[in-house]
Amino acid sequence: MTIRKNQATLTADEKRRFVDTLIALKRSGRYDEFVTTHNAFILGDTDNGERTGHRSPSFLPWHRRFLLEFERALQSVDPTVALPYWDWTVDRTPRSSLWAPDFLGGTGRSRDGRVMDGPFAASTGNWPIHVRVDGRTYLRRSLGGAVRQLPTRAEVDSVLAMSTYDMAPWNSASDGFRNHLEGWRGVNLHNRVHVWVGGQMGTGVSPNDPVFWLHHAFVDKLWADWRRLHPGSPYAPAAGTPNVVDLDEPMKPWNDTTPAALLDHTAHYTFDAA
Amino acid sequence: MPDITRRHALGAAVALAVTAGAPLTAAAADDHGDHGGHDGPEAFDEVYRGRRIQGRPAEGGGHHHGAVYAVFVDGVELHVMRNADGSWISVVSHYSPVPNPRAAARAAVDELQGARLVPFN
Protein backbone atom coordinates (compact mmCIF):
# COMPACT_ATOMS: atom_id res chain seq x y z
CA MET A 1 0.00 0.00 0.00
CA THR A 2 1.27 3.43 -0.92
CA ILE A 3 1.92 5.76 1.99
CA ARG A 4 2.26 9.43 1.14
CA LYS A 5 4.66 11.13 3.54
CA ASN A 6 5.40 14.69 4.51
CA GLN A 7 8.38 15.69 2.36
CA ALA A 8 10.15 17.08 5.44
CA THR A 9 10.39 13.57 6.91
CA LEU A 10 11.87 11.78 3.87
CA THR A 11 15.20 10.03 4.29
CA ALA A 12 18.11 10.84 2.00
CA ASP A 13 17.48 7.55 0.20
CA GLU A 14 13.78 8.33 -0.31
CA LYS A 15 14.63 11.74 -1.74
CA ARG A 16 17.20 10.25 -4.09
CA ARG A 17 14.79 7.59 -5.36
CA PHE A 18 12.03 10.16 -5.92
CA VAL A 19 14.35 12.47 -7.83
CA ASP A 20 15.84 9.65 -9.91
CA THR A 21 12.37 8.44 -10.82
CA LEU A 22 11.25 11.92 -11.90
CA ILE A 23 14.29 12.22 -14.14
CA ALA A 24 13.66 8.77 -15.63
CA LEU A 25 10.05 9.74 -16.46
CA LYS A 26 11.29 12.99 -17.94
CA ARG A 27 13.80 11.19 -20.14
CA SER A 28 11.16 8.76 -21.39
CA GLY A 29 8.81 11.56 -22.44
CA ARG A 30 6.03 10.43 -20.12
CA TYR A 31 6.53 13.34 -17.75
CA ASP A 32 5.79 15.91 -20.42
CA GLU A 33 2.52 14.19 -21.31
CA PHE A 34 1.27 15.16 -17.85
CA VAL A 35 2.29 18.79 -18.41
CA THR A 36 0.47 18.81 -21.74
CA THR A 37 -2.72 17.38 -20.23
CA HIS A 38 -2.74 19.90 -17.40
CA ASN A 39 -2.28 22.85 -19.73
CA ALA A 40 -5.07 21.64 -22.02
CA PHE A 41 -7.49 21.72 -19.10
CA ILE A 42 -6.16 25.08 -17.86
CA LEU A 43 -6.91 26.53 -21.30
CA GLY A 44 -10.24 24.79 -21.68
CA ASP A 45 -11.86 25.11 -18.24
CA THR A 46 -14.00 28.29 -18.18
CA ASP A 47 -16.39 29.74 -15.61
CA ASN A 48 -19.31 29.91 -18.03
CA GLY A 49 -18.52 26.83 -20.10
CA GLU A 50 -17.39 23.28 -19.61
CA ARG A 51 -15.09 23.04 -16.60
CA THR A 52 -13.50 19.93 -15.20
CA GLY A 53 -9.95 20.25 -13.92
CA HIS A 54 -10.17 23.71 -12.37
CA ARG A 55 -12.64 26.35 -11.16
CA SER A 56 -15.27 23.71 -10.60
CA PRO A 57 -16.34 21.09 -8.05
CA SER A 58 -14.27 18.43 -9.80
CA PHE A 59 -11.04 20.37 -9.17
CA LEU A 60 -10.38 18.05 -6.21
CA PRO A 61 -11.32 14.63 -7.69
CA TRP A 62 -9.73 15.57 -11.03
CA HIS A 63 -6.39 16.35 -9.41
CA ARG A 64 -6.70 13.26 -7.18
CA ARG A 65 -6.95 11.10 -10.29
CA PHE A 66 -4.25 13.10 -12.11
CA LEU A 67 -1.85 12.52 -9.18
CA LEU A 68 -2.79 8.84 -9.04
CA GLU A 69 -1.90 8.48 -12.70
CA PHE A 70 1.38 10.25 -12.10
CA GLU A 71 2.17 8.19 -9.01
CA ARG A 72 1.48 4.97 -10.93
CA ALA A 73 3.89 6.17 -13.61
CA LEU A 74 6.52 6.80 -10.94
CA GLN A 75 5.92 3.36 -9.47
CA SER A 76 6.34 1.73 -12.86
CA VAL A 77 9.94 2.97 -12.66
CA ASP A 78 10.50 2.39 -8.92
CA PRO A 79 7.73 0.60 -6.99
CA THR A 80 8.99 1.97 -3.66
CA VAL A 81 8.28 5.58 -4.58
CA ALA A 82 5.17 7.44 -3.35
CA LEU A 83 4.26 11.08 -3.83
CA PRO A 84 5.35 13.17 -0.87
CA TYR A 85 3.33 16.19 0.20
CA TRP A 86 4.50 19.70 1.05
CA ASP A 87 2.77 21.25 4.05
CA TRP A 88 3.40 24.85 3.08
CA THR A 89 1.90 26.09 6.35
CA VAL A 90 4.95 24.65 8.15
CA ASP A 91 7.77 24.61 5.59
CA ARG A 92 7.14 28.17 4.53
CA THR A 93 10.48 29.72 3.64
CA PRO A 94 13.04 29.26 0.84
CA ARG A 95 15.35 27.83 3.54
CA SER A 96 13.16 24.73 3.94
CA SER A 97 14.91 21.43 3.23
CA LEU A 98 12.43 21.03 0.36
CA TRP A 99 14.51 23.54 -1.61
CA ALA A 100 17.94 22.08 -0.77
CA PRO A 101 20.24 20.86 -3.55
CA ASP A 102 19.63 17.21 -2.58
CA PHE A 103 15.93 17.53 -3.25
CA LEU A 104 14.17 20.12 -5.46
CA GLY A 105 16.87 22.81 -5.59
CA GLY A 106 16.29 26.42 -4.62
CA THR A 107 14.93 29.66 -5.98
CA GLY A 108 15.95 31.18 -9.30
CA ARG A 109 18.64 33.79 -9.76
CA SER A 110 17.31 37.33 -9.94
CA ARG A 111 18.40 38.11 -13.50
CA ASP A 112 16.25 35.55 -15.31
CA GLY A 113 14.67 33.36 -12.64
CA ARG A 114 16.83 30.40 -13.60
CA VAL A 115 17.16 27.66 -10.96
CA MET A 116 20.90 27.13 -10.52
CA ASP A 117 21.16 24.18 -8.13
CA GLY A 118 19.57 20.82 -7.47
CA PRO A 119 18.72 17.95 -9.83
CA PHE A 120 16.32 20.00 -11.96
CA ALA A 121 18.65 22.90 -12.76
CA ALA A 122 18.98 23.37 -16.51
CA SER A 123 22.76 22.98 -16.28
CA THR A 124 22.35 19.29 -15.38
CA GLY A 125 20.89 18.59 -18.80
CA ASN A 126 18.28 16.38 -17.12
CA TRP A 127 15.35 18.77 -17.03
CA PRO A 128 14.63 20.49 -20.35
CA ILE A 129 11.34 22.43 -20.40
CA HIS A 130 9.67 21.19 -23.57
CA VAL A 131 6.00 21.96 -22.94
CA ARG A 132 6.06 25.71 -22.54
CA VAL A 133 4.24 28.94 -23.18
CA ASP A 134 7.33 31.02 -23.91
CA GLY A 135 10.79 30.57 -25.36
CA ARG A 136 12.61 29.74 -22.13
CA THR A 137 13.70 26.12 -21.82
CA TYR A 138 15.05 26.23 -18.23
CA LEU A 139 13.24 25.72 -14.93
CA ARG A 140 12.49 29.02 -13.22
CA ARG A 141 11.36 30.03 -9.74
CA SER A 142 11.05 33.16 -7.65
CA LEU A 143 10.21 31.81 -4.20
CA GLY A 144 8.25 34.46 -2.33
CA GLY A 145 8.81 36.94 -5.17
CA ALA A 146 5.28 37.71 -6.37
CA VAL A 147 3.53 37.14 -3.05
CA ARG A 148 5.37 37.31 0.25
CA GLN A 149 3.58 34.83 2.48
CA LEU A 150 2.41 31.27 2.08
CA PRO A 151 -0.92 30.47 3.75
CA THR A 152 -0.83 29.99 7.50
CA ARG A 153 -2.26 27.08 9.48
CA ALA A 154 -4.96 29.41 10.82
CA GLU A 155 -5.97 30.30 7.27
CA VAL A 156 -6.10 26.62 6.33
CA ASP A 157 -8.22 25.86 9.40
CA SER A 158 -10.64 28.64 8.50
CA VAL A 159 -11.23 26.96 5.13
CA LEU A 160 -11.41 23.44 6.58
CA ALA A 161 -14.20 24.75 8.83
CA MET A 162 -16.49 25.40 5.84
CA SER A 163 -19.03 22.59 5.93
CA THR A 164 -20.46 22.95 2.41
CA TYR A 165 -18.34 21.27 -0.28
CA ASP A 166 -19.25 23.58 -3.15
CA MET A 167 -22.07 25.87 -4.23
CA ALA A 168 -23.74 27.27 -7.33
CA PRO A 169 -22.60 28.71 -9.70
CA TRP A 170 -19.98 25.95 -9.31
CA ASN A 171 -17.10 28.08 -10.58
CA SER A 172 -14.51 30.66 -9.45
CA ALA A 173 -17.28 32.81 -7.93
CA SER A 174 -18.57 30.08 -5.61
CA ASP A 175 -18.69 30.15 -1.85
CA GLY A 176 -17.89 26.95 0.04
CA PHE A 177 -14.90 24.71 0.79
CA ARG A 178 -13.76 23.83 -2.74
CA ASN A 179 -13.40 27.35 -4.09
CA HIS A 180 -11.80 28.68 -0.91
CA LEU A 181 -9.28 25.84 -1.00
CA GLU A 182 -8.69 26.41 -4.73
CA GLY A 183 -8.23 30.07 -3.91
CA TRP A 184 -10.34 32.10 -6.32
CA ARG A 185 -12.20 33.46 -3.32
CA GLY A 186 -11.29 34.31 0.27
CA VAL A 187 -7.91 33.88 1.97
CA ASN A 188 -6.61 31.98 -1.10
CA LEU A 189 -4.79 28.72 -0.42
CA HIS A 190 -3.94 26.67 -3.54
CA ASN A 191 -3.64 29.51 -6.06
CA ARG A 192 -1.44 31.55 -3.74
CA VAL A 193 1.09 28.73 -3.43
CA HIS A 194 1.47 28.57 -7.21
CA VAL A 195 2.12 32.33 -7.22
CA TRP A 196 4.55 32.15 -4.26
CA VAL A 197 6.75 29.60 -6.10
CA GLY A 198 6.70 31.62 -9.32
CA GLY A 199 8.37 30.63 -12.58
CA GLN A 200 6.57 27.88 -14.46
CA MET A 201 4.51 27.15 -11.32
CA GLY A 202 2.63 30.40 -11.94
CA THR A 203 1.62 29.35 -15.46
CA GLY A 204 -0.65 26.85 -17.17
CA VAL A 205 2.34 24.53 -17.56
CA SER A 206 2.92 24.43 -13.81
CA PRO A 207 3.66 20.67 -13.65
CA ASN A 208 7.01 21.49 -15.27
CA ASP A 209 8.17 22.14 -11.71
CA PRO A 210 8.26 18.90 -9.68
CA VAL A 211 6.96 20.83 -6.67
CA PHE A 212 3.58 20.82 -8.46
CA TRP A 213 3.04 17.22 -7.30
CA LEU A 214 4.02 17.91 -3.69
CA HIS A 215 1.76 20.97 -3.60
CA HIS A 216 -1.21 19.08 -5.00
CA ALA A 217 -0.55 16.07 -2.76
CA PHE A 218 -1.03 18.44 0.19
CA VAL A 219 -4.15 20.04 -1.32
CA ASP A 220 -5.42 16.47 -1.75
CA LYS A 221 -4.63 15.71 1.89
CA LEU A 222 -6.58 18.80 2.95
CA TRP A 223 -9.59 17.40 1.08
CA ALA A 224 -9.20 14.15 3.04
CA ASP A 225 -8.88 16.14 6.29
CA TRP A 226 -12.02 18.10 5.39
CA ARG A 227 -14.03 14.91 4.76
CA ARG A 228 -13.04 13.60 8.19
CA LEU A 229 -14.11 16.89 9.80
CA HIS A 230 -17.45 16.92 7.94
CA PRO A 231 -18.52 13.29 7.51
CA GLY A 232 -22.06 14.33 6.68
CA SER A 233 -21.13 16.78 3.92
CA PRO A 234 -21.45 15.32 0.41
CA TYR A 235 -19.71 16.16 -2.85
CA ALA A 236 -21.90 18.54 -4.80
CA PRO A 237 -23.61 18.91 -7.21
CA ALA A 238 -25.45 15.60 -7.17
CA ALA A 239 -26.97 15.58 -10.66
CA GLY A 240 -28.17 17.47 -13.68
CA THR A 241 -25.71 20.38 -13.76
CA PRO A 242 -24.74 21.62 -17.23
CA ASN A 243 -20.98 21.96 -17.92
CA VAL A 244 -20.14 20.64 -14.43
CA VAL A 245 -19.14 17.12 -13.35
CA ASP A 246 -21.87 15.81 -11.05
CA LEU A 247 -21.22 13.14 -8.43
CA ASP A 248 -21.81 10.17 -10.72
CA GLU A 249 -20.70 11.62 -14.03
CA PRO A 250 -17.52 10.42 -15.77
CA MET A 251 -14.57 12.80 -15.80
CA LYS A 252 -12.46 13.71 -18.80
CA PRO A 253 -9.87 12.82 -19.98
CA TRP A 254 -10.18 9.33 -18.45
CA ASN A 255 -13.96 8.88 -18.88
CA ASP A 256 -13.80 5.77 -16.70
CA THR A 257 -14.13 7.31 -13.26
CA THR A 258 -16.47 9.64 -11.38
CA PRO A 259 -16.10 11.94 -8.41
CA ALA A 260 -18.05 9.34 -6.39
CA ALA A 261 -15.39 6.74 -7.13
CA LEU A 262 -12.60 9.03 -5.92
CA LEU A 263 -14.03 10.30 -2.63
CA ASP A 264 -12.26 7.68 -0.53
CA HIS A 265 -8.51 8.01 -1.01
CA THR A 266 -7.76 4.98 1.20
CA ALA A 267 -8.57 2.66 -1.69
CA HIS A 268 -5.36 3.95 -3.29
CA TYR A 269 -3.04 5.31 -0.60
CA THR A 270 -2.88 6.50 2.97
CA PHE A 271 -1.08 9.39 4.60
CA ASP A 272 1.68 9.14 7.16
CA ALA A 273 -0.34 11.17 9.68
CA ALA A 274 -3.94 12.17 10.22
CA MET B 1 -10.61 16.97 -23.33
CA PRO B 2 -12.14 20.42 -23.13
CA ASP B 3 -13.41 21.86 -26.35
CA ILE B 4 -10.63 24.27 -27.10
CA THR B 5 -10.33 23.69 -30.80
CA ARG B 6 -12.89 26.25 -31.88
CA ARG B 7 -11.45 28.99 -29.71
CA HIS B 8 -7.96 28.19 -30.86
CA ALA B 9 -9.06 28.34 -34.46
CA LEU B 10 -10.60 31.70 -33.68
CA GLY B 11 -7.37 32.89 -32.10
CA ALA B 12 -5.41 31.85 -35.15
CA ALA B 13 -7.79 33.79 -37.38
CA VAL B 14 -7.35 36.90 -35.28
CA ALA B 15 -3.58 36.47 -35.32
CA LEU B 16 -3.69 36.28 -39.11
CA ALA B 17 -5.79 39.43 -39.30
CA VAL B 18 -3.30 41.27 -37.12
CA THR B 19 -0.36 40.02 -39.11
CA ALA B 20 -2.10 41.30 -42.22
CA GLY B 21 -2.26 44.75 -40.71
CA ALA B 22 -5.88 44.95 -39.56
CA PRO B 23 -6.13 48.18 -37.55
CA LEU B 24 -6.39 47.99 -33.79
CA THR B 25 -7.97 50.95 -32.10
CA ALA B 26 -6.21 52.25 -29.06
CA ALA B 27 -8.51 52.54 -26.10
CA ALA B 28 -9.33 56.12 -25.19
CA ALA B 29 -10.07 55.22 -21.62
CA ASP B 30 -9.15 52.41 -19.31
CA ASP B 31 -11.38 49.39 -19.53
CA HIS B 32 -12.84 49.47 -16.05
CA GLY B 33 -16.47 48.95 -15.27
CA ASP B 34 -16.75 45.64 -17.04
CA HIS B 35 -18.25 43.55 -14.29
CA GLY B 36 -20.49 40.73 -15.32
CA GLY B 37 -21.86 42.42 -18.44
CA HIS B 38 -22.00 40.85 -21.86
CA ASP B 39 -19.81 43.51 -23.43
CA GLY B 40 -16.10 42.83 -23.31
CA PRO B 41 -13.47 45.40 -22.40
CA GLU B 42 -12.34 47.88 -25.02
CA ALA B 43 -9.35 47.45 -27.27
CA PHE B 44 -5.88 48.71 -26.34
CA ASP B 45 -2.58 49.11 -28.10
CA GLU B 46 0.57 50.33 -26.36
CA VAL B 47 4.25 49.70 -25.81
CA TYR B 48 4.93 48.46 -22.30
CA ARG B 49 8.51 47.87 -21.15
CA GLY B 50 9.64 47.68 -24.75
CA ARG B 51 7.00 45.20 -25.88
CA ARG B 52 3.95 45.96 -28.00
CA ILE B 53 0.82 44.78 -26.25
CA GLN B 54 -2.56 44.79 -27.96
CA GLY B 55 -6.01 43.61 -27.06
CA ARG B 56 -9.40 43.64 -28.64
CA PRO B 57 -12.71 41.77 -28.62
CA ALA B 58 -12.37 38.75 -30.87
CA GLU B 59 -14.64 38.12 -33.83
CA GLY B 60 -17.80 36.30 -32.85
CA GLY B 61 -17.50 37.21 -29.20
CA GLY B 62 -21.23 37.75 -28.91
CA HIS B 63 -21.98 34.07 -29.46
CA HIS B 64 -20.42 32.96 -26.25
CA HIS B 65 -21.25 34.22 -22.82
CA GLY B 66 -18.05 35.23 -21.07
CA ALA B 67 -15.12 36.76 -22.77
CA VAL B 68 -13.84 36.04 -26.19
CA TYR B 69 -11.12 38.60 -26.26
CA ALA B 70 -7.70 38.40 -27.86
CA VAL B 71 -4.45 39.76 -26.41
CA PHE B 72 -1.12 39.89 -28.24
CA VAL B 73 2.46 40.44 -27.13
CA ASP B 74 4.66 41.51 -30.04
CA GLY B 75 2.03 40.05 -32.36
CA VAL B 76 1.85 36.61 -30.74
CA GLU B 77 -1.44 35.75 -29.09
CA LEU B 78 -1.46 35.41 -25.33
CA HIS B 79 -4.23 33.12 -24.11
CA VAL B 80 -6.37 35.10 -21.64
CA MET B 81 -9.54 34.27 -19.78
CA ARG B 82 -12.15 36.24 -17.87
CA ASN B 83 -13.27 35.04 -14.46
CA ALA B 84 -16.88 35.16 -13.33
CA ASP B 85 -16.15 38.20 -11.15
CA GLY B 86 -14.82 40.16 -14.15
CA SER B 87 -11.13 39.71 -13.32
CA TRP B 88 -8.66 38.30 -15.86
CA ILE B 89 -5.84 35.80 -16.01
CA SER B 90 -3.48 34.59 -18.73
CA VAL B 91 -1.68 31.35 -19.36
CA VAL B 92 1.61 32.86 -18.15
CA SER B 93 0.04 34.22 -14.95
CA HIS B 94 -2.73 31.77 -14.39
CA TYR B 95 -3.29 31.84 -10.65
CA SER B 96 -3.18 35.59 -10.05
CA PRO B 97 -6.24 37.52 -11.32
CA VAL B 98 -5.92 41.16 -12.41
CA PRO B 99 -8.68 43.69 -13.22
CA ASN B 100 -8.63 43.77 -17.04
CA PRO B 101 -6.92 42.38 -20.16
CA ARG B 102 -4.42 45.24 -20.32
CA ALA B 103 -3.26 44.40 -16.80
CA ALA B 104 -3.01 40.74 -17.84
CA ALA B 105 -0.87 41.74 -20.84
CA ARG B 106 1.38 43.88 -18.65
CA ALA B 107 1.69 41.07 -16.09
CA ALA B 108 2.68 38.76 -18.93
CA VAL B 109 5.40 41.17 -20.10
CA ASP B 110 6.71 41.34 -16.52
CA GLU B 111 6.73 37.56 -16.29
CA LEU B 112 8.35 37.01 -19.69
CA GLN B 113 11.45 39.14 -18.91
CA GLY B 114 11.98 39.63 -22.62
CA ALA B 115 11.28 36.05 -23.71
CA ARG B 116 9.09 35.46 -26.75
CA LEU B 117 5.68 33.87 -26.37
CA VAL B 118 5.11 30.50 -27.99
CA PRO B 119 1.90 30.55 -30.05
CA PHE B 120 -0.69 28.21 -28.58
CA ASN B 121 -2.55 25.91 -30.91
Side-chain angles (χ1 to χ4, degrees):
Chain A
M1 172 57 84
T2 298
I3 301 174
R4 294 190 181 172
K5 300 177 183 175
N6 187 321
Q7 61 78 26
T9 70
L10 297 185
T11 66
D13 184 60
E14 287 170 327
K15 290 180 185 178
R16 186 179 53 77
R17 284 176 174 271
F18 181 62
V19 165
D20 288 351
T21 306
L22 288 168
I23 290 171
L25 277 193
K26 182 70 164 178
R27 188 171 295 122
S28 74
R30 293 180 71 189
Y31 190 96
D32 288 337
E33 294 172 14
F34 287 90
V35 187
T36 298
T37 296
H38 187 266
N39 194 44
F41 278 82
I42 281 279
L43 295 176
D45 296 323
T46 59
D47 276 338
N48 297 307
E50 185 177 339
R51 46 198 186 275
T52 300
H54 307 87
R55 59 181 68 240
S56 61
S58 47
F59 168 70
L60 290 169
W62 190 92
H63 281 84
R64 177 164 284 175
R65 174 62 184 260
F66 190 56
L67 264 62
L68 273 169
E69 294 285 329
F70 185 72
E71 189 169 55
R72 288 169 187 152
L74 292 173
Q75 291 173 345
S76 74
V77 176
D78 182 343
T80 72
V81 168
L83 283 181
Y85 62 87
W86 168 33
D87 181 346
W88 22 255
T89 72
V90 173
D91 296 302
R92 49 188 299 104
T93 79
R95 295 174 298 283
S96 161
S97 61
L98 174 66
W99 308 111
D102 69 338
F103 201 14
L104 300 192
T107 194
R109 65 183 179 188
S110 58
R111 176 156 62 86
D112 57 7
R114 189 188 303 242
V115 170
M116 301 298 290
D117 68 349
F120 309 103
S123 57
T124 63
N126 286 327
W127 205 256
I129 306 297
H130 292 125
V131 183
R132 57 186 193 267
V133 294
D134 62 62
R136 294 169 289 183
T137 59
Y138 47 90
L139 181 66
R140 294 177 294 112
R141 293 182 189 129
S142 178
L143 303 181
V147 59
R148 285 168 71 95
Q149 298 292 338
L150 287 163
T152 64
R153 187 67 225 182
E155 287 171 329
V156 165
D157 288 340
S158 74
V159 172
L160 289 176
M162 297 175 177
S163 59
T164 302
Y165 177 75
D166 206 347
M167 299 167 75
W170 319 109
N171 63 18
S172 74
S174 291
D175 200 352
F177 170 70
R178 186 277 308 168
N179 196 37
H180 280 81
L181 174 56
E182 190 170 0
W184 300 111
R185 182 165 176 166
V187 296
N188 185 355
L189 302 180
H190 153 269
N191 281 356
R192 196 196 330 175
V193 176
H194 277 274
V195 176
W196 186 89
V197 174
Q200 281 89 0
M201 264 291 274
T203 76
V205 292
S206 45
N208 273 309
D209 191 327
V211 81
F212 173 92
W213 309 103
L214 286 74
H215 172 36
H216 272 279
F218 185 60
V219 170
D220 182 83
K221 182 176 184 296
L222 292 178
W223 184 26
D225 293 344
W226 177 86
R227 291 191 75 238
R228 202 178 52 251
L229 286 168
H230 305 281
S233 294
Y235 175 93
T241 318
N243 290 323
V244 171
V245 183
D246 297 317
L247 178 65
D248 292 310
E249 280 192 320
M251 261 190 317
K252 297 176 182 179
W254 309 286
N255 297 315
D256 64 354
T257 193
T258 63
L262 288 159
L263 297 179
D264 180 10
H265 70 281
T266 63
H268 308 286
Y269 52 89
T270 57
F271 293 104
D272 55 353
Chain B
M1 302 286 281
D3 177 19
I4 53 181
T5 309
R6 187 178 62 84
R7 184 173 23 215
H8 285 185
L10 194 60
V14 172
L16 277 173
V18 168
T19 307
L24 286 168
T25 309
D30 207 352
D31 42 11
H32 287 308
D34 174 51
H35 294 292
H38 287 74
D39 297 327
E42 293 175 11
F44 64 88
D45 186 346
E46 68 178 27
V47 175
Y48 173 74
R49 297 182 70 182
R51 317 276 306 257
R52 187 176 187 192
I53 56 174
Q54 299 162 294
R56 69 171 191 182
E59 302 297 325
H63 297 299
H64 191 78
H65 181 77
V68 179
Y69 188 95
V71 169
F72 303 86
V73 177
D74 290 337
V76 180
E77 186 170 10
L78 170 70
H79 185 278
V80 296
M81 183 183 296
R82 185 166 73 172
N83 294 323
D85 68 355
S87 62
W88 291 75
I89 53 173
S90 83
V91 72
V92 303
S93 187
H94 182 79
Y95 304 93
S96 187
V98 292
N100 53 56
R102 187 202 302 261
R106 288 177 174 175
V109 168
D110 293 342
E111 157 64 21
L112 287 167
Q113 294 186 287
R116 65 178 170 83
L117 271 179
V118 172
F120 61 90
N121 50 41

